Amino acid sequence: MANPTYDINDIKRRMQGASAALKTELSGLRTGRASAHLLDPVMVEAYGNQMPLIQCASVTVPEPRLISVNVWDRSLVKAVEKAIVDSNLGLSPATEGQTIRLRIPELNEERRKELVKIAHKYAETARVAVRHVRRDAMDLIKKLEKDHAISKDDHDRHSAEVQKATDAGIAEIDHLLSAKEKEILTV
């Protein structure tokens, strides 16, 4: 096995992966507004397989409180409808032909607070992922110094770089969280 090398860009890329995962999870959280991404996690039983809703229908948002799902294959309308109901998003489909309309109800205060808690959980998971990347990077730097592959000065410089990348990663996560929190709490 080749000796591991220190690469700050790889470390930053891995930390940004945590932010990207958080963005995806937050986009699935329901706010008072309709969002096409709300249906991203919905899986449909189609042609004997589980497939994402977006692979068998187009999703549009014609109004702020309405999502329109246009199913491409007429035989899948019932399966898509069932998948939406089973997804626990709290949406009731109204079907007309191959179009399924989903009204987004107003969120009550209790549900908003619940969603904020969930968003905080997602953010904490992302922070933990960033910290794991930091720990791995710091362990690698210590090992490289111990094996005399880098000097004490390089060790200090690399450690500072990793810490700076960690701080930036955590700051981005906090920013994403506060934006989502504001979006959820805006009535």
Side-chain angles (χ1 to χ4, degrees), residues 31-32 65 106 112 180-187:
T31 60
R65 295 202 163 282
E106 273 289 352
R112 288 178 194 279
K180 188 64 177 189
E181 202 172 333
K182 193 172 159 192
E183 186 184 332
I184 291 170
L185 295 174
T186 301
V187 180

Side-chain angles (χ1 to χ4, degrees), residues 93-173:
T95 309
E96 294 167 20
Q98 286 176 252
T99 303
I100 300 172
R101 287 184 174 65
L102 303 164
R103 285 249 161 250
I104 307 295
E106 273 289 352
L107 292 177
N108 61 18
E109 192 60 31
E110 192 178 308
R111 181 70 180 134
R112 288 178 194 279
K113 285 181 177 152
E114 217 173 283
L115 288 172
V116 167
K117 278 185 190 160
I118 294 169
H120 276 274
K121 259 190 219 136
Y122 288 162
E124 189 50 38
T125 303
R127 285 188 202 103
V128 167
V130 167
R131 290 186 200 116
H132 282 308
V133 173
R134 176 189 179 279
R135 187 196 58 218
D136 294 347
M138 292 303 203
D139 289 349
L140 171 67
I141 292 167
K142 278 185 203 135
K143 185 185 181 315
L144 289 173
E145 186 189 14
K146 192 176 143 230
D147 298 346
H148 303 294
I150 61 172
S151 67
K152 175 80 177 108
D153 289 345
D154 284 342
H155 175 280
D156 294 344
R157 193 176 70 250
H158 292 336
S159 295
E161 277 178 348
V162 170
Q163 188 56 52
K164 191 174 166 194
T166 303
D167 294 343
I170 301 274
E172 183 179 357
I173 289 167

Side-chain angles (χ1 to χ4, degrees), residues 48-86:
N49 291 317
Q50 287 286 328
M51 65 191 319
L53 174 76
I54 55 171
Q55 288 182 6
C56 52
S58 56
V59 180
T60 57
V61 182
E63 298 168 29
R65 295 202 163 282
L66 181 72
I67 297 176
S68 179
V69 179
N70 193 19
V71 184
W72 300 323
D73 182 344
R74 188 177 294 275
S75 67
L76 292 178
V77 173
K78 285 278 177 251
V80 169
E81 204 175 285
K82 182 182 180 324
I84 291 169
V85 171
D86 294 347

